[in-house]
Amino acid sequence: MAGESEGGHASPSWFVAPGEGDSLAWISLIFIALALYGLVSLYAAFDRWAEHQSKGTPLAKTIPTMLTIALLYEIFPLGHFNILLPLSAILIALMADWSRFNLRRDETPSTEYRDAAAQTGTDQVEPRNV
């Protein structure tokens, strides 16, 4: 493993003298960068698929948010962050989904509004506040 030298001490086979280039280190860095890029690409493809599948469901924003948090915990060491950070992001997404779900239900026009729009022949009739 170690080559013989005159002084009795041998350098390890992976040692690179100062001022020389280390091609193995560059190859390793490129491999790590490509692996991270592949992992992020796979997560992005899965996230797009999950977002497409969740359209129209009550959890349309929550599911991609949870996938993003899972990606961050997978790639980066986030153990030293407080657990309230990802929980607050999930709760914000849940509240956004809940409010959008309730707004969509409230946006259905009443029968009075539809009758007035049918009589005038236009959709520009303002609904009356009762």
Side-chain angles (χ1 to χ4, degrees):
M1 185 124 179
E4 292 293 323
S5 67
E6 295 174 6
H9 294 285
S11 298
S13 61
W14 45 263
F15 181 75
V16 177
E20 293 182 11
D22 188 7
S23 60
L24 185 61
W26 285 109
I27 291 171
S28 300
L29 284 174
I30 290 171
F31 179 74
I32 290 172
L34 287 174
L36 283 175
Y37 179 75
L39 183 68
V40 169
S41 297
L42 286 174
Y43 260 92
F46 181 68
D47 187 36
R48 279 192 304 267
W49 177 81
E51 189 173 352
H52 177 69
Q53 295 288 27
S54 68
K55 285 224 191 279
T57 64
L59 299 176
K61 285 192 184 299
T62 305
I63 293 170
T65 302
M66 291 174 71
L67 288 172
T68 303
I69 291 170
L71 172 67
L72 288 175
Y73 270 99
E74 181 117 4
I75 292 179
F76 302 113
L78 296 179
H80 59 278
F81 283 106
N82 196 337
I83 190 67
L84 295 177
L85 287 173
L87 287 179
S88 63
I90 292 171
L91 286 176
I92 289 170
L94 277 171
M95 288 295 104
D97 286 337
W98 183 72
S99 65
R100 190 182 65 236
F101 183 71
N102 284 336
L103 284 176
R104 187 179 315 142
R105 186 176 53 184
D106 292 340
E107 285 178 357
T108 57
S110 65
T111 56
E112 181 179 309
Y113 173 70
R114 283 187 296 222
D115 293 341
Q119 288 175 357
T120 60
T122 180
D123 290 337
Q124 301 299 321
V125 176
E126 293 291 324
R128 291 186 294 164
N129 293 334
V130 211

